[in-house]
Amino acid sequence: MFLNQVSGVSRLILGCASLAALLVLGGCSTSTVNTHETDTTAASPTAVESTAEAGPQTDTEALGELPEDAGTTTVMPDAGPELKPGAPRNYVVRRGDTLWGIANMFLRDPWLWPEIWYVNPDIHNPHLIYPGDSIHLALASDGRTALQVVHGGGLPGSRLEPLLRSSPLESAIPTIPYSMIAAFLERPGVLSREEVKTAPYILALRGEHDIAGAGDELYVKKLDGQAGARYSVMHVDQALQDPEGGRQLGYLAVYTGTAQLVRPGRIAKARLTDSQRETLQGDLLISEDNTPTSDFKPHPPARPVSGEIIAVVEGEDVAGQYDVVAINRGTGDGLERGNVLTVDEVPARADDLCARIEDRSTCLSHSSETLPTEVSGTLLVFKTYEYMSYALILNDTALIHTFDRVRNP
């Protein structure tokens, strides 16, 4: 994903000439910047500015990095339905940021960002934003507040001089934090019973160990490969069943480590080169998938989807931001990679004890009421199977549980 370039002249010239791209509000894809009103002090007719001691939190900062000074925020009571009233007035993209995290600073519904980019014809890919690029509140030609992206930094209206870049160009920031889902993208997360029965498996651990870790040797059956080939070791965990109809969805496969084939044969010998958790007798060896994974572009499902969370991966029944969950809907239900889903809490019930006088109910009989449904988070589907999918929790407003409902946003 790293791109080295000797010269950044073309990017700087494009950033100066076209002021890059607009994130236009309201889903309008044809708005342009009024070049006579790009001063960000005109971001909104009723804008009230306030100095912020600390800038808005990025995805990197949410994971533990210390924030840097990020300037000012702008409070806009008349902000449209897409723009947050307290969006930052300007923001400089940092290493470790994600498109989702930046969109979440500015937009009420950050998953809408792919639909509201205005693409300048000179900019070939509006989704490529780099550390050092600047995002500013500006005034669009239709009079509404929009987002202006300037490649290479700088304020709107400032003069940029073409310079020869002498250092490698940093990679564009990703859509989401890929480190959270890398293992799921490269390895199977769900296996059918037939796949489990036919896969190579660990016959025994050398040295009479009960568990194996990095550096330990394994004896494997059904492994047909060449010396040096690498495999993912998978522990077959709980059965996944659709709670709505009882349909068998498969078995959860948990990555334990990476094994390298040392000696082929009817009983092959392999060595664990990496260990994430204990490897046990009976665990499976699956060929690693090195197919490049394209970036995600969040979008709603093409047709209505209604399902539920059936498992929290590597957890009990509670999940939060950047945890991975399994849901009981897949490609057969219209889901695909990049789909965004809203999570609703399972509505709680409460006994209606009526008004009380001196700790006594005023009702002769009591009923039970279902409380209103509350939204608890947003998911992004990143890996699909026919009847189920894996999704990353992008944000949560409350704890997310097994059996919470998922639906179109």
Side-chain angles (χ1 to χ4, degrees):
M1 293 183 65
F2 292 96
L3 175 65
N4 292 327
Q5 293 185 354
V6 176
S7 172
V9 174
S10 59
R11 279 191 53 216
L12 288 173
I13 293 176
L14 290 178
C16 178
S18 63
L19 296 179
L22 285 177
L23 280 165
V24 180
L25 303 179
C28 178
S29 61
T30 58
S31 298
T32 58
V33 173
N34 185 334
T35 56
H36 299 291
E37 297 178 352
T38 55
D39 188 342
T40 55
T41 58
S44 174
T46 59
V48 180
E49 300 175 14
S50 62
T51 300
E53 294 182 0
Q57 190 180 49
T58 67
D59 279 5
T60 300
E61 293 158 9
L63 295 176
E65 283 196 11
L66 294 176
E68 301 173 7
D69 183 17
T72 60
T73 58
T74 303
V75 180
M76 295 165 292
D78 63 341
E82 291 83 10
L83 192 65
K84 284 184 177 179
R89 181 177 173 185
N90 54 73
Y91 182 74
V92 178
V93 180
R94 306 167 185 168
R95 184 185 298 109
D97 281 341
T98 64
L99 289 175
W100 177 271
I102 292 176
N104 194 46
M105 297 178 197
F106 291 95
L107 305 176
R108 298 177 190 270
D109 294 312
W111 65 270
L112 289 172
W113 67 263
E115 301 180 10
I116 59 179
W117 277 94
Y118 169 74
V119 184
N120 187 297
D122 293 330
I123 304 300
H124 299 294
N125 190 340
H127 306 296
L128 295 182
I129 300 179
Y130 298 82
D133 289 348
S134 297
I135 301 177
H136 312 279
L137 289 176
L139 199 64
S141 58
D142 60 1
R144 293 190 300 171
T145 304
L147 294 179
Q148 176 183 0
V149 180
V150 179
H151 284 317
L155 294 173
S158 62
R159 181 169 181 171
L160 300 179
E161 296 291 342
L163 296 174
L164 188 66
R165 183 183 295 272
S166 59
S167 59
L169 183 65
E170 291 195 67
S171 299
I173 62 174
T175 304
I176 57 176
Y178 278 93
S179 60
M180 304 297 173
I181 61 173
F184 294 90
L185 294 174
E186 298 169 359
R187 307 172 183 103
V190 174
L191 295 171
S192 68
R193 185 175 186 85
E194 188 61 28
E195 287 174 321
V196 172
K197 291 176 65 176
T198 58
Y201 64 93
I202 297 175
L203 171 66
L205 309 178
R206 188 179 180 190
E208 299 182 353
H209 296 300
D210 292 328
I211 61 174
D216 288 341
E217 294 182 329
L218 321 167
Y219 292 113
V220 184
K221 291 191 69 173
K222 297 185 180 180
L223 185 58
D224 182 16
Q226 297 181 346
R230 295 168 62 85
Y231 300 86
S232 294
V233 183
M234 310 298 295
H235 178 75
V236 181
D237 206 5
Q238 69 191 79
L240 296 175
Q241 195 170 36
D242 189 342
E244 296 183 1
R247 179 174 55 186
Q248 186 75 31
L249 303 178
Y251 294 86
L252 193 64
V254 180
Y255 172 73
T256 70
T258 299
Q260 187 171 23
L261 181 56
V262 175
R263 185 182 63 217
R266 190 181 72 84
I267 298 179
K269 184 169 76 171
R271 179 180 293 107
L272 277 175
T273 59
D274 174 66
S275 180
Q276 296 296 318
R277 51 170 286 175
E278 66 274 7
T279 293
L280 306 173
Q281 183 180 17
D283 286 350
L284 308 182
L285 271 67
I286 306 294
S287 295
E288 292 193 345
D289 181 7
N290 296 317
T291 304
T293 301
S294 59
D295 207 359
F296 294 97
K297 294 179 175 57
H299 59 284
R303 66 181 197 234
V305 172
S306 177
E308 62 184 79
I309 295 173
I310 56 175
V312 176
V313 179
E314 297 185 358
E316 297 298 326
D317 63 346
V318 178
Q321 187 181 37
Y322 299 144
D323 283 337
V324 174
V325 296
I327 60 177
N328 65 335
R329 294 293 181 265
T331 55
D333 306 292
L335 281 183
E336 62 183 12
R337 285 164 41 95
N339 279 162
V340 173
L341 298 172
T342 294
V343 184
D344 292 328
E345 294 179 349
V346 175
R349 295 187 64 83
D351 293 331
D352 185 358
L353 303 179
C354 301
R356 302 177 74 81
I357 299 176
E358 294 183 349
D359 206 28
R360 293 183 179 180
S361 174
T362 56
C363 295
L364 295 178
S365 61
H366 301 143
S367 61
S368 180
E369 295 284 353
T370 300
L371 300 180
T373 299
E374 300 289 347
V375 174
S376 58
T378 303
L379 305 179
L380 183 136
V381 175
F382 65 85
K383 192 163 189 175
T384 57
Y385 300 87
E386 186 175 5
Y387 300 121
M388 66 149 296
S389 301
Y390 283 118
L392 180 71
I393 299 174
L394 292 175
N395 59 275
D396 59 327
T397 56
L399 287 176
I400 292 176
H401 300 81
T402 307
F403 305 125
D404 279 354
R405 302 292 303 177
V406 298
R407 58 174 173 82
N408 293 53

